[in-house]
Amino acid sequence: MKKISLLICFVTFLSCAPKKKSISPTAILITGVNIVDVSNGDILQNRQVVIDSGKIKKIVETVEDAEEYPTKIEAKDKYLIPGLAEMHAHIPQPPTSNTRIEETLYLYLSNGITTIRGMLGHPTHLDLREKALKGEVLSPRIFTSSPSFNGNTVTTKEEAVEKVTTYKNEGYDFLKIHPGMQLEVFDQMVETANELNIPFAGHVPVMVGIRHALESKYASIDHVDGYLEGLVPESEGVDPSANGFFGYSFTPLADTSKIDELVALSKKNQVWVVPTQSLFERWFATVSSDELLKQPEMKYMPVSTLEDWKRRKDESTKPESGFNEEQWNKFTAIRRQLIFKLQENGHGMLLGSDAPQLFNVPGFSIHHEVDGMLEAGLTPLEILQSGTINPAIYFGMEDTFGSIKEGLDADLVLLNSNPLLDITALKQISGVMVRGKWLSKESIAEKLEQIADNAKNN
Protein backbone atom coordinates (compact mmCIF):
# COMPACT_ATOMS: atom_id res chain seq x y z
CA MET A 1 0.00 0.00 0.00
CA LYS A 2 2.85 2.34 0.86
CA LYS A 3 4.49 1.63 -2.51
CA ILE A 4 1.24 2.41 -4.34
CA SER A 5 0.97 5.74 -2.49
CA LEU A 6 4.52 6.67 -3.44
CA LEU A 7 3.83 5.78 -7.06
CA ILE A 8 0.70 7.96 -7.10
CA CYS A 9 2.69 10.85 -5.62
CA PHE A 10 5.41 10.45 -8.21
CA VAL A 11 2.92 10.41 -11.12
CA THR A 12 1.18 13.46 -9.65
CA PHE A 13 4.53 15.28 -9.40
CA LEU A 14 5.33 14.54 -13.02
CA SER A 15 1.93 15.77 -14.20
CA CYS A 16 2.32 19.03 -12.26
CA ALA A 17 5.88 19.72 -13.37
CA PRO A 18 6.18 22.47 -16.01
CA LYS A 19 6.19 20.98 -19.47
CA LYS A 20 8.91 21.91 -21.87
CA LYS A 21 7.41 23.89 -24.73
CA SER A 22 7.96 22.26 -28.07
CA ILE A 23 9.52 24.37 -30.81
CA SER A 24 7.62 24.56 -34.08
CA PRO A 25 9.28 22.55 -36.87
CA THR A 26 8.86 25.57 -39.18
CA ALA A 27 10.28 28.17 -36.77
CA ILE A 28 13.29 30.28 -37.74
CA LEU A 29 15.58 31.91 -35.20
CA ILE A 30 17.73 34.93 -36.03
CA THR A 31 20.33 35.25 -33.30
CA GLY A 32 22.34 38.15 -31.92
CA VAL A 33 21.09 40.70 -34.42
CA ASN A 34 20.94 44.49 -34.10
CA ILE A 35 17.46 45.74 -35.01
CA VAL A 36 17.01 49.16 -36.61
CA ASP A 37 13.93 50.93 -35.29
CA VAL A 38 12.96 52.95 -38.36
CA SER A 39 10.50 55.08 -36.40
CA ASN A 40 13.25 56.89 -34.50
CA GLY A 41 16.66 55.52 -35.49
CA ASP A 42 17.27 53.59 -32.27
CA ILE A 43 19.25 50.34 -32.43
CA LEU A 44 18.06 47.38 -30.36
CA GLN A 45 21.27 45.47 -29.84
CA ASN A 46 21.84 41.73 -29.69
CA ARG A 47 18.24 40.57 -30.08
CA GLN A 48 16.87 37.13 -30.84
CA VAL A 49 14.04 37.11 -33.39
CA VAL A 50 11.69 34.15 -33.80
CA ILE A 51 9.79 33.83 -37.08
CA ASP A 52 7.12 31.29 -37.92
CA SER A 53 4.20 31.03 -40.35
CA GLY A 54 5.35 34.17 -42.11
CA LYS A 55 5.12 36.33 -38.98
CA ILE A 56 7.51 37.83 -36.42
CA LYS A 57 6.53 35.81 -33.36
CA LYS A 58 8.99 36.99 -30.76
CA ILE A 59 11.74 39.58 -30.22
CA VAL A 60 13.69 38.97 -27.02
CA GLU A 61 17.12 39.46 -25.46
CA THR A 62 17.52 35.77 -24.73
CA VAL A 63 15.76 32.66 -25.99
CA GLU A 64 15.64 29.21 -24.42
CA ASP A 65 16.81 26.12 -26.27
CA ALA A 66 18.24 28.10 -29.17
CA GLU A 67 20.09 25.03 -30.42
CA GLU A 68 16.78 23.20 -30.97
CA TYR A 69 15.41 25.58 -33.59
CA PRO A 70 15.30 23.75 -36.95
CA THR A 71 16.54 26.83 -38.81
CA LYS A 72 18.95 29.24 -37.18
CA ILE A 73 20.48 32.33 -38.80
CA GLU A 74 23.58 33.61 -37.05
CA ALA A 75 23.49 37.40 -37.22
CA LYS A 76 26.08 38.64 -34.74
CA ASP A 77 27.22 42.19 -35.62
CA LYS A 78 24.67 42.37 -38.44
CA TYR A 79 21.71 44.75 -38.76
CA LEU A 80 18.07 43.93 -39.41
CA ILE A 81 15.78 46.38 -41.19
CA PRO A 82 12.21 46.03 -42.46
CA GLY A 83 11.86 45.01 -46.09
CA LEU A 84 11.94 47.97 -48.44
CA ALA A 85 9.10 49.18 -50.65
CA GLU A 86 9.61 50.26 -54.26
CA MET A 87 6.74 52.72 -54.58
CA HIS A 88 7.09 53.35 -58.32
CA ALA A 89 7.58 49.91 -59.81
CA HIS A 90 6.49 48.39 -63.09
CA ILE A 91 5.49 44.78 -63.55
CA PRO A 92 5.78 43.34 -67.06
CA GLN A 93 2.57 42.21 -68.73
CA PRO A 94 1.72 39.97 -71.67
CA PRO A 95 3.21 39.15 -74.10
CA THR A 96 6.17 39.07 -71.69
CA SER A 97 6.76 35.45 -70.64
CA ASN A 98 5.90 34.21 -67.16
CA THR A 99 9.58 33.36 -66.68
CA ARG A 100 10.66 36.95 -67.33
CA ILE A 101 7.90 38.33 -65.10
CA GLU A 102 9.01 36.08 -62.24
CA GLU A 103 12.65 37.05 -62.83
CA THR A 104 11.68 40.74 -62.60
CA LEU A 105 9.94 40.13 -59.29
CA TYR A 106 13.03 38.29 -58.03
CA LEU A 107 15.28 41.21 -59.01
CA TYR A 108 13.28 43.37 -56.64
CA LEU A 109 13.57 40.79 -53.85
CA SER A 110 17.31 40.34 -54.37
CA ASN A 111 17.81 43.95 -53.28
CA GLY A 112 15.65 43.75 -50.18
CA ILE A 113 12.44 45.04 -51.78
CA THR A 114 9.54 43.08 -50.29
CA THR A 115 6.71 45.41 -51.37
CA ILE A 116 6.09 46.99 -54.76
CA ARG A 117 3.47 49.45 -55.99
CA GLY A 118 2.89 48.66 -59.65
CA MET A 119 2.27 51.88 -61.57
CA LEU A 120 0.78 50.62 -64.82
CA GLY A 121 -1.81 47.99 -64.09
CA HIS A 122 -3.05 45.14 -66.24
CA PRO A 123 -5.71 42.48 -65.53
CA THR A 124 -2.99 39.84 -65.13
CA HIS A 125 -1.53 41.83 -62.25
CA LEU A 126 -4.68 41.26 -60.19
CA ASP A 127 -4.11 37.52 -60.39
CA LEU A 128 -0.39 37.94 -59.73
CA ARG A 129 -1.14 40.03 -56.64
CA GLU A 130 -3.23 37.20 -55.19
CA LYS A 131 -0.66 34.54 -56.03
CA ALA A 132 2.04 36.60 -54.31
CA LEU A 133 -0.18 37.00 -51.25
CA LYS A 134 -0.77 33.25 -51.06
CA GLY A 135 2.90 32.40 -51.63
CA GLU A 136 2.18 30.69 -54.94
CA VAL A 137 4.83 32.82 -56.63
CA LEU A 138 8.02 34.17 -55.07
CA SER A 139 7.35 37.88 -55.16
CA PRO A 140 7.22 41.07 -53.17
CA ARG A 141 3.81 42.07 -51.82
CA ILE A 142 2.02 43.73 -54.73
CA PHE A 143 -0.23 46.76 -54.93
CA THR A 144 -1.39 47.51 -58.45
CA SER A 145 -2.77 50.54 -60.23
CA SER A 146 -5.49 50.47 -62.82
CA PRO A 147 -4.67 50.79 -66.50
CA SER A 148 -3.75 54.34 -67.46
CA PHE A 149 -6.03 57.36 -67.35
CA ASN A 150 -4.69 59.70 -70.03
CA GLY A 151 -5.74 61.97 -72.86
CA ASN A 152 -6.26 59.02 -75.22
CA THR A 153 -7.94 56.49 -72.92
CA VAL A 154 -10.38 58.87 -71.15
CA THR A 155 -11.69 61.68 -73.34
CA THR A 156 -15.13 62.43 -71.88
CA LYS A 157 -16.74 62.79 -68.46
CA GLU A 158 -18.90 59.75 -69.21
CA GLU A 159 -15.82 57.66 -69.93
CA ALA A 160 -14.29 58.84 -66.66
CA VAL A 161 -17.30 57.62 -64.67
CA GLU A 162 -17.36 54.32 -66.54
CA LYS A 163 -13.67 53.54 -66.15
CA VAL A 164 -13.41 54.56 -62.49
CA THR A 165 -16.41 52.35 -61.70
CA THR A 166 -15.07 49.42 -63.71
CA TYR A 167 -11.58 49.53 -62.21
CA LYS A 168 -12.97 49.85 -58.69
CA ASN A 169 -15.19 46.80 -59.24
CA GLU A 170 -12.33 44.80 -60.76
CA GLY A 171 -10.29 45.29 -57.59
CA TYR A 172 -7.44 47.58 -58.55
CA ASP A 173 -5.83 49.30 -55.56
CA PHE A 174 -5.78 52.77 -57.11
CA LEU A 175 -6.10 54.70 -60.37
CA LYS A 176 -3.03 55.68 -62.40
CA ILE A 177 -2.99 59.19 -63.89
CA HIS A 178 -0.89 59.98 -66.96
CA PRO A 179 -0.51 63.22 -68.94
CA GLY A 180 -3.10 64.48 -71.42
CA MET A 181 -6.35 64.48 -69.44
CA GLN A 182 -8.55 67.52 -69.93
CA LEU A 183 -9.53 69.44 -66.80
CA GLU A 184 -13.26 68.67 -66.84
CA VAL A 185 -12.57 64.97 -67.44
CA PHE A 186 -10.03 64.94 -64.61
CA ASP A 187 -12.48 66.61 -62.23
CA GLN A 188 -15.16 64.05 -63.09
CA MET A 189 -12.68 61.26 -62.42
CA VAL A 190 -11.85 62.79 -59.02
CA GLU A 191 -15.53 63.13 -58.12
CA THR A 192 -16.32 59.52 -59.03
CA ALA A 193 -13.16 58.19 -57.36
CA ASN A 194 -14.10 59.97 -54.13
CA GLU A 195 -17.65 58.59 -54.29
CA LEU A 196 -16.35 55.04 -54.76
CA ASN A 197 -13.44 55.44 -52.34
CA ILE A 198 -10.60 54.54 -54.68
CA PRO A 199 -7.40 56.65 -54.55
CA PHE A 200 -5.57 58.05 -57.57
CA ALA A 201 -1.89 58.78 -58.10
CA GLY A 202 0.81 59.48 -60.66
CA HIS A 203 1.40 62.34 -63.10
CA VAL A 204 -0.10 65.82 -63.16
CA PRO A 205 -1.71 66.63 -66.55
CA VAL A 206 -0.65 70.09 -67.71
CA MET A 207 -4.28 71.22 -68.09
CA VAL A 208 -4.80 70.35 -64.42
CA GLY A 209 -1.70 71.99 -62.95
CA ILE A 210 0.03 71.33 -59.65
CA ARG A 211 -2.13 73.54 -57.45
CA HIS A 212 -5.42 72.05 -58.61
CA ALA A 213 -3.86 68.58 -58.44
CA LEU A 214 -2.84 69.09 -54.81
CA GLU A 215 -6.25 70.50 -53.90
CA SER A 216 -7.80 67.43 -55.55
CA LYS A 217 -5.92 65.34 -52.97
CA TYR A 218 -3.82 62.91 -55.01
CA ALA A 219 -2.76 59.91 -52.95
CA SER A 220 0.71 60.55 -54.32
CA ILE A 221 2.31 62.71 -56.98
CA ASP A 222 5.13 60.83 -58.67
CA HIS A 223 8.30 62.21 -60.29
CA VAL A 224 7.67 65.54 -58.45
CA ASP A 225 5.56 66.09 -61.55
CA GLY A 226 4.03 69.53 -62.05
CA TYR A 227 6.00 71.23 -59.29
CA LEU A 228 8.55 72.92 -61.53
CA GLU A 229 5.79 74.20 -63.81
CA GLY A 230 4.14 75.59 -60.69
CA LEU A 231 7.20 77.76 -60.04
CA VAL A 232 6.73 79.71 -63.28
CA PRO A 233 5.05 83.10 -62.62
CA GLU A 234 1.70 83.56 -64.35
CA SER A 235 3.04 86.80 -65.79
CA GLU A 236 5.28 84.75 -68.11
CA GLY A 237 2.17 83.61 -69.98
CA VAL A 238 3.68 80.27 -70.98
CA ASP A 239 1.91 77.53 -72.91
CA PRO A 240 1.66 74.71 -70.31
CA SER A 241 2.07 72.08 -73.02
CA ALA A 242 5.51 73.49 -73.90
CA ASN A 243 6.94 72.34 -70.56
CA GLY A 244 9.22 69.65 -72.01
CA PHE A 245 10.49 66.75 -69.90
CA PHE A 246 8.81 67.28 -66.50
CA GLY A 247 9.15 71.05 -66.78
CA TYR A 248 12.71 71.06 -68.06
CA SER A 249 11.91 73.67 -70.74
CA PHE A 250 10.62 76.08 -68.09
CA THR A 251 13.78 75.84 -65.95
CA PRO A 252 15.03 79.38 -66.81
CA LEU A 253 11.65 80.82 -65.78
CA ALA A 254 11.28 79.02 -62.45
CA ASP A 255 10.96 81.20 -59.34
CA THR A 256 12.22 79.08 -56.47
CA SER A 257 10.71 81.48 -53.91
CA LYS A 258 7.40 79.78 -54.75
CA ILE A 259 8.60 76.39 -53.49
CA ASP A 260 7.43 76.93 -49.92
CA GLU A 261 3.88 77.67 -51.09
CA LEU A 262 3.69 74.41 -53.02
CA VAL A 263 5.20 72.46 -50.14
CA ALA A 264 2.64 73.94 -47.71
CA LEU A 265 -0.17 73.05 -50.11
CA SER A 266 1.17 69.48 -50.31
CA LYS A 267 1.10 69.18 -46.55
CA LYS A 268 -2.34 70.75 -46.18
CA ASN A 269 -3.84 68.26 -48.63
CA GLN A 270 -1.80 65.29 -47.31
CA VAL A 271 -0.25 64.44 -50.67
CA TRP A 272 2.71 62.06 -50.61
CA VAL A 273 5.53 62.53 -53.12
CA VAL A 274 7.56 59.85 -54.91
CA PRO A 275 10.66 61.63 -56.32
CA THR A 276 12.02 59.00 -58.79
CA GLN A 277 15.08 61.26 -58.90
CA SER A 278 17.20 58.48 -60.39
CA LEU A 279 15.19 58.88 -63.59
CA PHE A 280 16.50 62.43 -63.93
CA GLU A 281 20.08 61.54 -63.05
CA ARG A 282 20.32 58.55 -65.39
CA TRP A 283 17.91 58.73 -68.32
CA PHE A 284 17.43 62.48 -68.72
CA ALA A 285 20.95 63.34 -67.63
CA THR A 286 24.43 64.15 -68.83
CA VAL A 287 25.85 60.67 -68.14
CA SER A 288 26.29 58.77 -71.42
CA SER A 289 24.36 55.66 -72.37
CA ASP A 290 27.66 53.83 -72.96
CA GLU A 291 28.78 54.57 -69.41
CA LEU A 292 25.49 53.33 -67.99
CA LEU A 293 25.67 50.17 -70.05
CA LYS A 294 28.93 49.27 -68.29
CA GLN A 295 27.24 49.07 -64.88
CA PRO A 296 27.17 45.50 -63.47
CA GLU A 297 23.39 45.24 -63.04
CA MET A 298 22.78 45.72 -66.77
CA LYS A 299 23.58 42.04 -67.29
CA TYR A 300 20.20 41.15 -65.79
CA MET A 301 18.29 42.90 -68.57
CA PRO A 302 17.63 41.38 -72.01
CA VAL A 303 19.96 42.59 -74.75
CA SER A 304 16.97 43.89 -76.73
CA THR A 305 15.90 46.03 -73.77
CA LEU A 306 19.36 47.54 -73.35
CA GLU A 307 19.48 48.40 -77.05
CA ASP A 308 16.11 50.12 -76.76
CA TRP A 309 17.23 52.04 -73.65
CA LYS A 310 20.34 53.29 -75.40
CA ARG A 311 18.42 54.44 -78.45
CA ARG A 312 15.78 56.29 -76.44
CA LYS A 313 18.28 57.97 -74.12
CA ASP A 314 20.51 59.11 -76.98
CA GLU A 315 17.52 60.56 -78.83
CA SER A 316 16.14 62.42 -75.82
CA THR A 317 19.46 64.00 -74.80
CA LYS A 318 21.04 64.87 -78.16
CA PRO A 319 21.74 68.57 -78.76
CA GLU A 320 18.92 68.88 -81.29
CA SER A 321 16.42 67.96 -78.55
CA GLY A 322 17.20 71.15 -76.62
CA PHE A 323 19.05 69.28 -73.89
CA ASN A 324 22.21 70.95 -72.57
CA GLU A 325 24.35 70.46 -69.50
CA GLU A 326 24.03 73.97 -68.07
CA GLN A 327 20.24 73.91 -68.07
CA TRP A 328 20.20 70.32 -66.79
CA ASN A 329 22.38 71.35 -63.82
CA LYS A 330 19.92 74.11 -62.91
CA PHE A 331 16.96 71.78 -63.49
CA THR A 332 18.50 69.18 -61.17
CA ALA A 333 19.32 71.79 -58.51
CA ILE A 334 15.69 72.96 -58.46
CA ARG A 335 14.42 69.39 -58.21
CA ARG A 336 16.75 68.75 -55.27
CA GLN A 337 15.46 71.88 -53.53
CA LEU A 338 11.91 70.65 -54.04
CA ILE A 339 12.71 67.17 -52.71
CA PHE A 340 14.51 68.54 -49.65
CA LYS A 341 11.73 70.95 -48.73
CA LEU A 342 9.00 68.39 -49.40
CA GLN A 343 10.80 66.12 -46.93
CA GLU A 344 11.29 68.83 -44.33
CA ASN A 345 7.88 70.51 -44.48
CA GLY A 346 5.64 68.47 -46.78
CA HIS A 347 3.34 65.55 -46.01
CA GLY A 348 5.89 62.79 -46.62
CA MET A 349 8.21 61.05 -49.06
CA LEU A 350 7.97 57.57 -50.57
CA LEU A 351 10.93 55.67 -52.01
CA GLY A 352 10.52 54.92 -55.70
CA SER A 353 12.83 54.75 -58.71
CA ASP A 354 10.55 53.92 -61.69
CA ALA A 355 11.92 50.50 -62.56
CA PRO A 356 12.27 48.99 -65.05
CA GLN A 357 12.65 52.31 -66.84
CA LEU A 358 15.58 53.55 -68.89
CA PHE A 359 18.74 52.22 -67.20
CA ASN A 360 16.82 51.55 -63.98
CA VAL A 361 17.14 47.81 -63.40
CA PRO A 362 14.50 46.49 -60.96
CA GLY A 363 15.81 46.33 -57.41
CA PHE A 364 19.23 47.71 -58.23
CA SER A 365 17.80 51.08 -59.24
CA ILE A 366 16.64 51.72 -55.69
CA HIS A 367 20.28 52.31 -54.72
CA HIS A 368 20.58 55.02 -57.37
CA GLU A 369 17.39 56.56 -55.99
CA VAL A 370 18.92 56.52 -52.52
CA ASP A 371 21.95 58.36 -53.90
CA GLY A 372 19.68 61.01 -55.41
CA MET A 373 17.84 61.52 -52.14
CA LEU A 374 21.15 61.85 -50.31
CA GLU A 375 22.26 64.49 -52.81
CA ALA A 376 19.01 66.35 -52.13
CA GLY A 377 19.91 66.50 -48.42
CA LEU A 378 17.86 63.72 -46.85
CA THR A 379 19.39 61.76 -43.98
CA PRO A 380 19.85 57.98 -44.01
CA LEU A 381 17.03 57.63 -41.49
CA GLU A 382 14.66 59.75 -43.59
CA ILE A 383 15.50 57.67 -46.65
CA LEU A 384 14.93 54.42 -44.74
CA GLN A 385 11.59 55.73 -43.50
CA SER A 386 10.55 56.61 -47.05
CA GLY A 387 10.97 52.95 -47.99
CA THR A 388 9.62 51.24 -44.87
CA ILE A 389 7.28 52.86 -42.37
CA ASN A 390 6.03 55.60 -44.72
CA PRO A 391 4.67 53.14 -47.31
CA ALA A 392 2.96 51.21 -44.49
CA ILE A 393 1.32 54.44 -43.32
CA TYR A 394 0.43 55.31 -46.91
CA PHE A 395 -1.43 52.01 -47.33
CA GLY A 396 -2.91 52.06 -43.82
CA MET A 397 -1.09 48.80 -43.03
CA GLU A 398 1.23 49.69 -40.15
CA ASP A 399 -0.02 46.58 -38.36
CA THR A 400 1.16 44.39 -41.26
CA PHE A 401 4.55 45.63 -42.49
CA GLY A 402 6.98 48.54 -42.49
CA SER A 403 8.71 47.98 -39.14
CA ILE A 404 10.09 45.15 -37.03
CA LYS A 405 7.57 44.28 -34.34
CA GLU A 406 5.99 41.14 -32.97
CA GLY A 407 2.92 40.16 -34.99
CA LEU A 408 3.93 41.86 -38.22
CA ASP A 409 4.77 40.06 -41.46
CA ALA A 410 8.33 38.75 -41.53
CA ASP A 411 9.55 41.02 -44.35
CA LEU A 412 13.15 41.63 -43.36
CA VAL A 413 16.58 42.47 -44.75
CA LEU A 414 19.77 41.40 -42.99
CA LEU A 415 22.64 43.81 -43.62
CA ASN A 416 26.34 43.51 -42.87
CA SER A 417 26.59 47.00 -41.35
CA ASN A 418 24.56 49.87 -39.94
CA PRO A 419 22.65 51.76 -42.69
CA LEU A 420 22.11 54.76 -40.41
CA LEU A 421 25.85 55.39 -40.41
CA ASP A 422 26.32 54.65 -44.11
CA ILE A 423 23.26 54.13 -46.30
CA THR A 424 25.33 52.18 -48.83
CA ALA A 425 24.98 49.32 -46.34
CA LEU A 426 21.73 48.62 -48.20
CA LYS A 427 23.88 47.11 -50.96
CA GLN A 428 25.64 44.70 -48.58
CA ILE A 429 22.86 42.19 -48.04
CA SER A 430 23.41 39.02 -46.05
CA GLY A 431 19.91 37.75 -46.77
CA VAL A 432 16.30 38.70 -47.41
CA MET A 433 13.16 37.35 -45.79
CA VAL A 434 9.85 37.75 -47.59
CA ARG A 435 6.88 36.86 -45.40
CA GLY A 436 8.95 34.26 -43.58
CA LYS A 437 10.75 32.72 -46.55
CA TRP A 438 14.51 33.11 -46.17
CA LEU A 439 16.65 33.94 -49.20
CA SER A 440 20.30 33.57 -48.27
CA LYS A 441 23.06 35.60 -49.86
CA GLU A 442 24.27 32.44 -51.60
CA SER A 443 20.86 31.50 -53.01
CA ILE A 444 20.34 35.07 -54.25
CA ALA A 445 23.70 35.02 -56.05
CA GLU A 446 22.86 31.69 -57.67
CA LYS A 447 19.48 32.90 -58.91
CA LEU A 448 20.92 36.18 -60.22
CA GLU A 449 23.46 34.21 -62.23
CA GLN A 450 20.60 32.29 -63.85
CA ILE A 451 18.78 35.52 -64.67
CA ALA A 452 21.92 36.96 -66.24
CA ASP A 453 22.39 33.83 -68.39
CA ASN A 454 18.77 34.05 -69.60
CA ALA A 455 19.11 37.74 -70.41
CA LYS A 456 21.95 37.08 -72.86
CA ASN A 457 19.58 35.22 -75.16
CA ASN A 458 16.77 37.79 -75.20
Side-chain angles (χ1 to χ4, degrees), residues 86-160:
E86 163 61 271
M87 293 295 283
H88 197 111
H90 287 283
I91 303 169
Q93 58 193 47
T96 305
S97 70
N98 287 336
T99 297
R100 185 58 199 170
I101 292 171
E102 290 177 9
E103 287 178 345
T104 300
L105 296 172
Y106 194 90
L107 289 173
Y108 288 118
L109 288 175
S110 71
N111 284 270
I113 294 168
T114 57
T115 295
I116 56 175
R117 187 177 68 140
M119 293 302 292
L120 187 56
H122 185 272
T124 57
H125 297 165
L126 296 171
D127 183 50
L128 191 60
R129 179 185 64 188
E130 298 311 306
K131 287 182 176 179
L133 192 62
K134 295 174 183 176
E136 295 173 6
V137 61
L138 184 56
S139 166
R141 176 188 294 102
I142 293 173
F143 296 93
T144 180
S145 83
S146 69
S148 172
F149 280 72
N150 60 63
N152 296 320
T153 61
V154 189
T155 59
T156 66
K157 295 167 70 173
E158 292 74 21
E159 277 186 311

Side-chain angles (χ1 to χ4, degrees), residues 86-87 218 382 397-398 431:
E86 163 61 271
M87 293 295 283
Y218 269 65
E382 289 169 341
M397 296 182 70
E398 295 164 86

